[in-house]
Amino acid sequence: VPEPTCSDGIVNQGESDVDCAGPCDKCGLDSGCAKDADCASGNCAATNKCIPQPTCFDGIRNGLESDVDCGGICIATCALDKTCNRRID
């Protein structure tokens, strides 16, 4: 039986997806992951897939936003019918 490697096309040796994470390079987007450190983006979703880092322009309420792409760390303030965490959001 050959020794496991980071190019054998098999999930082994602590990898979270085929030939990535564990002792191998970090995984790319849409690859399987168990923790943020498994992903090149540094972002492992609750679905155990590597996803891009949140931005204030991705159409998703994520990161430190108060609502979708507004408030919190985003420059854009939230509309009156949106959620806010602070008066300045």
Side-chain angles (χ1 to χ4, degrees):
V1 175
E3 287 289 314
T5 69
C6 292
S7 59
D8 58 14
I10 301 169
V11 177
N12 53 20
Q13 61 178 355
E15 301 164 357
S16 61
D17 205 335
V18 176
D19 298 333
C20 67
C24 306
D25 290 336
K26 294 180 183 278
C27 298
L29 298 178
D30 295 322
S31 296
C33 57
K35 57 188 181 286
D36 290 342
D38 292 343
C39 304
S41 68
N43 199 11
C44 180
T47 57
N48 295 100
K49 292 287 182 185
C50 294
I51 59 173
Q53 281 291 327
T55 71
C56 292
F57 309 100
D58 57 13
I60 303 168
R61 181 181 178 191
N62 53 18
L64 299 174
E65 301 167 348
S66 298
D67 208 313
V68 176
D69 297 338
C70 68
I73 62 168
C74 299
I75 293 172
T77 55
C78 297
L80 293 176
D81 62 337
K82 300 294 181 184
T83 300
C84 61
N85 295 327
R86 305 170 301 162
R87 286 185 314 151
I88 61 172
D89 285 349

